[in-house]
Amino acid sequence: MIIILKHSATDAEIEILRRNAIAKSLVPQDISSDGARMIGLAGDLAGIDEDEFLRHDCVDKVVRVKEPYKLAGRRFHPADSVLDIAGRRVGGGNFVVIAGPCSVESEDQILSVARDVKLAGASFLRGGAFKPRTSPYAFTGLGLDGLDLLKIAREKTGLPIVTEIMSAEHLDRFAEDVDVIQIGARNMQNYTLLRQVGSLAKPVLLKRGLSSTIDELLLAAEHVMAGGATDIMLCERGIRTFETATRNTLDLSAVPVLQQKTHLPVIIDPSHATGYWHLVEPMSLAAVAAGADGLIIEVHNQPELALCDGAQSVTPQVFRRIMTRVGRVREAISIDN
Ligand code: PEP
Ligand code: MN
């Protein structure tokens, strides 16, 4: 539902309206644009009558909208969102690269990779402390010790950290210690977790589920935003298809399709999408050419010894080359900036 306000609406009147919406368990958000003052209301609108809002003096019109993703969709937020995360801008023409190992394995490993990716121009450091693994016998990460190591790497390099949350029991630690909370493909439809992470109002990297449609990804983002977060990066990381030559199939058309539907930045993960390090460079370049707002790339100082996803991890040397060539493709496709 959209509330279109009169030009004469005062801040005090709008505040009363907002409180009224919150009292009905709705989430009001300022979606004013081009001089028109508007408030979007998200939540369960089934039993809500437009007249209840029309009664407010400051309201000009109430429009009921069928759009399934009111907060994540472009309809009420036509301009690209530009996130500012620890001084790094993402979206609206601001391109970022998130890089680091699949898992944090030791202090030496994370520091070495963090320093290398920073030198090569990465904006964020990634690294899993809690790892979702298909086999219960595989390495599942260092847990909270891994978070501590990521903090050391952030302190030494200045790179903000991106890491995956697996359980609500760690919400407080993630709220305190992590710059961008990753929600992995396997948890994209864990709606309780989505809402709980959203309620921290921190930046989130939301990965597309293994077999999820673009609309399901956007609805998952809507859950996070309904929880209260605004700074969401959406991540296409490959989907399940009949093809077995690659780990997943990179759905590159998700970049322009998402950008048409949402104002949120779209990040491509060529590592999980392909499963092979030598495919990471061509798919990174293709993602940039397709207009992605960023990349998340797995980098390991000794991929052959990696405890997780070594086959798809590039060395720091290959990462440097990817960064150089990504820069060239960005230049080649830039029209007016
Ligand atoms: C990861 O980023 O290491 C990861 C587990 O990704 P995904 O959730 O996309 O499989
Ligand atoms: Mn991985």
Side-chain angles (χ1 to χ4, degrees), residues 158-174:
L159 288 177
I161 52 186
V162 182
T163 193
E164 177 169 355
I165 192 162
M166 294 265 291
S167 158
E169 74 181 288
H170 299 126
L171 282 168
D172 289 348
R173 273 297 298 272
F174 275 67

Side-chain angles (χ1 to χ4, degrees), residues 50-68:
E50 285 96 310
D51 286 350
E52 298 182 36
F53 290 103
L54 272 172
R55 236 172 256 139
H56 288 255
D57 245 5
C58 58
V59 173
D60 183 15
K61 252 190 251 161
V62 178
V63 182
R64 199 173 263 279
V65 192
K66 298 240 162 32
E67 183 101 8

Side-chain angles (χ1 to χ4, degrees), residues 16 39 80 84 162 189 209 224 236:
I16 293 172
I39 293 181
D80 286 346
D84 184 333
V162 182
Q189 286 176 309
V224 181
E236 157 60 33

Side-chain angles (χ1 to χ4, degrees), residues 313-334:
S313 300
V314 298
T315 59
Q317 188 189 11
V318 169
F319 181 67
R320 276 198 297 279
R321 189 178 71 209
I322 294 174
M323 290 298 282
T324 306
R325 302 195 68 204
V326 159
R328 290 197 196 132
V329 174
R330 290 198 65 224
E331 255 169 54
I333 63 165
S334 76

Side-chain angles (χ1 to χ4, degrees), residues 11 27 55 113 116 135 193 228 259 293:
D11 288 350
V27 183
R55 236 172 256 139
V113 178
D116 283 339
S135 163
L193 186 66
Q259 286 172 341
D293 299 292

